[in-house]
Short mmCIF file of all heavy atoms in Angstrom, two decimals:
data_model
loop_
_atom_site.label_atom_id
_atom_site.label_comp_id
_atom_site.label_asym_id
_atom_site.label_seq_id
_atom_site.Cartn_x
_atom_site.Cartn_y
_atom_site.Cartn_z
N MET B 1 103.78 84.48 100.69
CA MET B 1 103.06 84.90 101.90
C MET B 1 102.67 86.39 101.82
O MET B 1 101.56 86.76 102.22
CB MET B 1 103.90 84.64 103.16
CG MET B 1 103.14 84.98 104.44
SD MET B 1 104.09 84.64 105.92
CE MET B 1 103.92 82.87 105.99
N GLN B 2 103.55 87.22 101.30
CA GLN B 2 103.24 88.65 101.15
C GLN B 2 102.08 88.85 100.17
O GLN B 2 101.21 89.70 100.39
CB GLN B 2 104.47 89.42 100.67
CG GLN B 2 105.54 89.58 101.72
CD GLN B 2 106.80 90.19 101.14
OE1 GLN B 2 107.31 89.74 100.10
NE2 GLN B 2 107.32 91.21 101.81
N VAL B 3 102.06 88.07 99.11
CA VAL B 3 100.99 88.18 98.12
C VAL B 3 99.66 87.77 98.75
O VAL B 3 98.65 88.47 98.62
CB VAL B 3 101.30 87.32 96.87
CG1 VAL B 3 100.11 87.32 95.90
CG2 VAL B 3 102.55 87.83 96.17
N LYS B 4 99.66 86.65 99.45
CA LYS B 4 98.44 86.19 100.11
C LYS B 4 97.93 87.21 101.11
O LYS B 4 96.74 87.49 101.18
CB LYS B 4 98.70 84.85 100.82
CG LYS B 4 98.96 83.70 99.86
CD LYS B 4 99.37 82.45 100.61
CE LYS B 4 99.70 81.33 99.65
NZ LYS B 4 100.10 80.11 100.36
N GLN B 5 98.83 87.78 101.89
CA GLN B 5 98.46 88.79 102.88
C GLN B 5 97.83 90.01 102.20
O GLN B 5 96.81 90.53 102.65
CB GLN B 5 99.69 89.23 103.69
CG GLN B 5 99.41 90.28 104.74
CD GLN B 5 98.54 89.78 105.86
OE1 GLN B 5 98.70 88.65 106.34
NE2 GLN B 5 97.60 90.60 106.30
N ALA B 6 98.42 90.46 101.10
CA ALA B 6 97.92 91.65 100.41
C ALA B 6 96.59 91.42 99.71
O ALA B 6 95.74 92.30 99.69
CB ALA B 6 98.97 92.14 99.39
N VAL B 7 96.41 90.24 99.14
CA VAL B 7 95.20 89.97 98.35
C VAL B 7 94.05 89.45 99.20
O VAL B 7 92.91 89.87 99.02
CB VAL B 7 95.53 88.99 97.19
CG1 VAL B 7 94.28 88.59 96.42
CG2 VAL B 7 96.55 89.61 96.25
N VAL B 8 94.35 88.56 100.13
CA VAL B 8 93.30 87.92 100.93
C VAL B 8 93.22 88.51 102.34
O VAL B 8 92.18 88.49 102.96
CB VAL B 8 93.54 86.39 101.01
CG1 VAL B 8 92.49 85.69 101.85
CG2 VAL B 8 93.57 85.78 99.62
N GLY B 9 94.35 89.02 102.83
CA GLY B 9 94.37 89.53 104.20
C GLY B 9 94.87 88.50 105.19
O GLY B 9 94.83 88.72 106.40
N TYR B 10 95.36 87.37 104.68
CA TYR B 10 95.82 86.28 105.52
C TYR B 10 96.98 85.59 104.82
O TYR B 10 96.81 85.05 103.72
CB TYR B 10 94.65 85.31 105.76
CG TYR B 10 94.97 84.07 106.54
CD1 TYR B 10 95.53 84.13 107.82
CD2 TYR B 10 94.71 82.81 106.01
CE1 TYR B 10 95.82 82.98 108.54
CE2 TYR B 10 94.99 81.64 106.71
CZ TYR B 10 95.54 81.74 107.98
OH TYR B 10 95.83 80.60 108.70
N GLY B 11 98.16 85.62 105.44
CA GLY B 11 99.38 85.12 104.81
C GLY B 11 99.44 83.62 104.57
O GLY B 11 100.25 83.15 103.79
N ALA B 12 98.55 82.86 105.21
CA ALA B 12 98.53 81.41 105.00
C ALA B 12 97.29 80.99 104.21
O ALA B 12 96.85 79.84 104.29
CB ALA B 12 98.58 80.68 106.34
N ALA B 13 96.74 81.90 103.43
CA ALA B 13 95.53 81.61 102.65
C ALA B 13 95.79 80.49 101.66
O ALA B 13 96.91 80.29 101.20
CB ALA B 13 95.07 82.87 101.92
N GLU B 14 94.73 79.77 101.32
CA GLU B 14 94.81 78.72 100.31
C GLU B 14 94.84 79.36 98.92
O GLU B 14 94.34 80.46 98.72
CB GLU B 14 93.59 77.80 100.41
CG GLU B 14 93.49 77.05 101.72
CD GLU B 14 94.58 76.00 101.88
OE1 GLU B 14 94.97 75.37 100.87
OE2 GLU B 14 95.06 75.83 103.02
N LYS B 15 95.41 78.63 97.96
CA LYS B 15 95.50 79.12 96.58
C LYS B 15 94.12 79.51 96.03
O LYS B 15 93.97 80.53 95.37
CB LYS B 15 96.16 78.06 95.70
CG LYS B 15 96.47 78.54 94.30
CD LYS B 15 97.29 77.49 93.59
CE LYS B 15 97.92 78.02 92.35
NZ LYS B 15 99.02 78.93 92.55
N LYS B 16 93.11 78.71 96.30
CA LYS B 16 91.76 78.98 95.82
C LYS B 16 91.23 80.32 96.36
O LYS B 16 90.57 81.08 95.63
CB LYS B 16 90.83 77.83 96.22
CG LYS B 16 89.42 77.98 95.76
CD LYS B 16 89.29 77.60 94.30
CE LYS B 16 87.81 77.51 93.93
NZ LYS B 16 87.61 77.19 92.54
N GLN B 17 91.54 80.63 97.62
CA GLN B 17 91.11 81.89 98.20
C GLN B 17 91.75 83.08 97.47
O GLN B 17 91.10 84.09 97.21
CB GLN B 17 91.48 81.96 99.69
CG GLN B 17 90.71 81.02 100.56
CD GLN B 17 91.26 81.03 101.98
OE1 GLN B 17 92.39 80.59 102.23
NE2 GLN B 17 90.48 81.54 102.91
N VAL B 18 93.04 82.94 97.15
CA VAL B 18 93.75 84.00 96.43
C VAL B 18 93.13 84.19 95.05
O VAL B 18 92.90 85.32 94.61
CB VAL B 18 95.26 83.69 96.32
CG1 VAL B 18 95.98 84.75 95.51
CG2 VAL B 18 95.89 83.56 97.71
N MET B 19 92.83 83.10 94.39
CA MET B 19 92.25 83.19 93.06
C MET B 19 90.86 83.85 93.09
O MET B 19 90.53 84.67 92.24
CB MET B 19 92.20 81.81 92.41
CG MET B 19 93.60 81.26 92.12
SD MET B 19 93.61 79.55 91.58
CE MET B 19 93.11 79.75 89.89
N LEU B 20 90.05 83.49 94.08
CA LEU B 20 88.72 84.09 94.21
C LEU B 20 88.79 85.59 94.51
O LEU B 20 88.05 86.39 93.94
CB LEU B 20 87.91 83.38 95.31
CG LEU B 20 87.33 82.02 94.93
CD1 LEU B 20 86.81 81.28 96.16
CD2 LEU B 20 86.21 82.19 93.91
N MET B 21 89.71 85.97 95.39
CA MET B 21 89.85 87.39 95.71
C MET B 21 90.42 88.17 94.53
O MET B 21 90.02 89.31 94.28
CB MET B 21 90.74 87.59 96.94
CG MET B 21 90.01 87.38 98.25
SD MET B 21 88.53 88.40 98.44
CE MET B 21 89.22 90.04 98.49
N THR B 22 91.32 87.56 93.78
CA THR B 22 91.85 88.19 92.56
C THR B 22 90.70 88.45 91.59
O THR B 22 90.57 89.55 91.04
CB THR B 22 92.94 87.31 91.92
OG1 THR B 22 94.01 87.16 92.86
CG2 THR B 22 93.45 87.92 90.64
N GLN B 23 89.85 87.45 91.42
CA GLN B 23 88.68 87.60 90.55
C GLN B 23 87.80 88.76 91.02
O GLN B 23 87.41 89.61 90.23
CB GLN B 23 87.87 86.30 90.56
CG GLN B 23 86.56 86.39 89.81
CD GLN B 23 85.65 85.18 90.05
OE1 GLN B 23 85.96 84.30 90.86
NE2 GLN B 23 84.54 85.15 89.35
N ARG B 24 87.52 88.81 92.30
CA ARG B 24 86.65 89.87 92.85
C ARG B 24 87.29 91.24 92.73
O ARG B 24 86.63 92.21 92.34
CB ARG B 24 86.33 89.56 94.30
CG ARG B 24 85.36 88.44 94.46
CD ARG B 24 84.91 88.27 95.89
NE ARG B 24 84.08 87.08 95.99
CZ ARG B 24 84.31 86.08 96.82
NH1 ARG B 24 85.34 86.12 97.64
NH2 ARG B 24 83.51 85.05 96.85
N LEU B 25 88.55 91.34 93.09
CA LEU B 25 89.23 92.64 93.08
C LEU B 25 89.33 93.22 91.67
O LEU B 25 89.38 94.43 91.50
CB LEU B 25 90.62 92.53 93.71
CG LEU B 25 90.62 92.30 95.22
CD1 LEU B 25 92.03 91.94 95.70
CD2 LEU B 25 90.10 93.53 95.96
N LEU B 26 89.37 92.35 90.67
CA LEU B 26 89.48 92.81 89.29
C LEU B 26 88.13 92.82 88.56
O LEU B 26 88.07 93.15 87.38
CB LEU B 26 90.50 91.95 88.52
CG LEU B 26 91.94 92.07 89.02
CD1 LEU B 26 92.84 91.07 88.30
CD2 LEU B 26 92.46 93.49 88.85
N GLY B 27 87.06 92.45 89.26
CA GLY B 27 85.74 92.46 88.66
C GLY B 27 85.59 91.49 87.50
O GLY B 27 84.87 91.77 86.53
N MET B 28 86.25 90.35 87.60
CA MET B 28 86.21 89.35 86.53
C MET B 28 85.00 88.43 86.70
O MET B 28 84.59 88.15 87.83
CB MET B 28 87.51 88.53 86.53
CG MET B 28 88.75 89.36 86.33
SD MET B 28 90.27 88.41 86.55
CE MET B 28 90.29 87.49 85.00
N LYS B 29 84.43 87.96 85.61
CA LYS B 29 83.28 87.07 85.66
C LYS B 29 83.67 85.67 86.12
O LYS B 29 82.88 84.96 86.73
CB LYS B 29 82.59 87.01 84.30
CG LYS B 29 81.91 88.30 83.94
CD LYS B 29 81.21 88.22 82.61
CE LYS B 29 80.60 89.57 82.30
NZ LYS B 29 79.90 89.59 81.02
N GLN B 30 84.91 85.28 85.79
CA GLN B 30 85.39 83.95 86.16
C GLN B 30 86.76 84.06 86.81
O GLN B 30 87.47 85.06 86.63
CB GLN B 30 85.49 83.06 84.92
CG GLN B 30 84.16 82.79 84.27
CD GLN B 30 84.29 81.86 83.07
OE1 GLN B 30 85.35 81.36 82.76
NE2 GLN B 30 83.17 81.63 82.40
N ILE B 31 87.12 83.01 87.51
CA ILE B 31 88.46 82.94 88.10
C ILE B 31 89.47 82.92 86.96
O ILE B 31 89.29 82.18 85.98
CB ILE B 31 88.62 81.67 88.97
CG1 ILE B 31 87.75 81.80 90.22
CG2 ILE B 31 90.08 81.44 89.35
CD1 ILE B 31 87.75 80.56 91.09
N PRO B 32 90.53 83.73 87.04
CA PRO B 32 91.52 83.73 85.96
C PRO B 32 92.23 82.38 85.87
O PRO B 32 92.56 81.78 86.88
CB PRO B 32 92.48 84.85 86.35
CG PRO B 32 92.26 85.09 87.80
CD PRO B 32 90.87 84.66 88.11
N ARG B 33 92.42 81.94 84.66
CA ARG B 33 93.11 80.68 84.38
C ARG B 33 94.14 80.91 83.31
O ARG B 33 93.94 81.78 82.47
CB ARG B 33 92.12 79.60 83.92
CG ARG B 33 91.10 79.23 84.94
CD ARG B 33 91.66 78.22 85.88
NE ARG B 33 90.60 77.82 86.84
CZ ARG B 33 90.88 77.32 88.01
NH1 ARG B 33 92.10 77.17 88.39
NH2 ARG B 33 89.92 76.97 88.82
N PRO B 34 95.20 80.17 83.21
CA PRO B 34 95.63 79.14 84.14
C PRO B 34 96.15 79.72 85.46
O PRO B 34 96.24 80.94 85.62
CB PRO B 34 96.74 78.41 83.37
CG PRO B 34 97.29 79.41 82.43
CD PRO B 34 96.13 80.32 82.08
N ASP B 35 96.50 78.83 86.37
CA ASP B 35 96.95 79.24 87.70
C ASP B 35 98.12 80.21 87.65
O ASP B 35 98.20 81.14 88.46
CB ASP B 35 97.37 78.01 88.53
CG ASP B 35 96.19 77.15 88.94
OD1 ASP B 35 95.04 77.50 88.60
OD2 ASP B 35 96.42 76.11 89.59
N ASP B 36 99.05 80.01 86.71
CA ASP B 36 100.22 80.88 86.62
C ASP B 36 99.81 82.32 86.32
O ASP B 36 100.38 83.26 86.85
CB ASP B 36 101.19 80.37 85.55
CG ASP B 36 101.64 78.95 85.82
OD1 ASP B 36 102.39 78.75 86.79
OD2 ASP B 36 101.22 78.05 85.07
N ALA B 37 98.82 82.49 85.46
CA ALA B 37 98.34 83.83 85.13
C ALA B 37 97.62 84.44 86.33
O ALA B 37 97.77 85.64 86.62
CB ALA B 37 97.42 83.78 83.92
N ALA B 38 96.84 83.62 87.05
CA ALA B 38 96.15 84.10 88.25
C ALA B 38 97.17 84.56 89.30
O ALA B 38 96.99 85.60 89.95
CB ALA B 38 95.25 83.01 88.82
N ASP B 39 98.23 83.79 89.46
CA ASP B 39 99.29 84.17 90.41
C ASP B 39 99.94 85.49 90.00
O ASP B 39 100.25 86.33 90.85
CB ASP B 39 100.36 83.07 90.49
CG ASP B 39 99.85 81.80 91.17
OD1 ASP B 39 98.77 81.83 91.80
OD2 ASP B 39 100.54 80.77 91.06
N ALA B 40 100.15 85.68 88.71
CA ALA B 40 100.76 86.92 88.23
C ALA B 40 99.86 88.11 88.50
O ALA B 40 100.33 89.19 88.89
CB ALA B 40 101.08 86.80 86.74
N LEU B 41 98.56 87.94 88.31
CA LEU B 41 97.62 89.02 88.61
C LEU B 41 97.64 89.35 90.10
O LEU B 41 97.60 90.52 90.49
CB LEU B 41 96.20 88.64 88.16
CG LEU B 41 95.96 88.64 86.66
CD1 LEU B 41 94.62 87.99 86.33
CD2 LEU B 41 96.04 90.05 86.09
N ALA B 42 97.68 88.31 90.94
CA ALA B 42 97.75 88.53 92.39
C ALA B 42 99.02 89.29 92.76
O ALA B 42 99.00 90.17 93.63
CB ALA B 42 97.67 87.20 93.13
N LEU B 43 100.12 88.98 92.10
CA LEU B 43 101.38 89.71 92.34
C LEU B 43 101.23 91.18 91.98
O LEU B 43 101.70 92.06 92.71
CB LEU B 43 102.52 89.10 91.52
CG LEU B 43 103.20 87.90 92.16
CD1 LEU B 43 103.79 87.01 91.10
CD2 LEU B 43 104.25 88.37 93.13
N ALA B 44 100.58 91.46 90.86
CA ALA B 44 100.39 92.85 90.45
C ALA B 44 99.50 93.59 91.45
O ALA B 44 99.79 94.74 91.81
CB ALA B 44 99.78 92.91 89.04
N ILE B 45 98.45 92.94 91.93
CA ILE B 45 97.58 93.55 92.94
C ILE B 45 98.37 93.81 94.21
O ILE B 45 98.27 94.88 94.82
CB ILE B 45 96.36 92.65 93.21
CG1 ILE B 45 95.45 92.61 91.99
CG2 ILE B 45 95.60 93.14 94.44
CD1 ILE B 45 94.36 91.54 92.06
#
């Protein structure tokens, strides 16, 4: 919930929303894959 709040601005955000915001915040051309790596990037953000 803390990760979702920090990355998306909403603690109950869907996983897809977190992945899209992670992509945008890091200026990536594509959504990071696999999901575990995307989650790790969101944690770092």
Side-chain angles (χ1 to χ4, degrees):
M1 184 178 283
Q2 288 173 311
V3 174
K4 292 173 183 180
Q5 180 67 41
V7 175
V8 179
Y10 176 57
E14 297 291 324
K15 188 172 195 72
K16 181 79 169 179
Q17 291 173 293
V18 177
M19 293 172 78
L20 283 168
M21 280 305 295
T22 299
Q23 174 191 5
R24 287 188 186 125
L25 290 169
L26 295 174
M28 300 173 76
K29 291 181 182 180
Q30 296 182 4
I31 291 175
R33 297 277 183 203
D35 289 359
D36 302 291
D39 291 347
L41 288 169
L43 276 153
I45 292 168

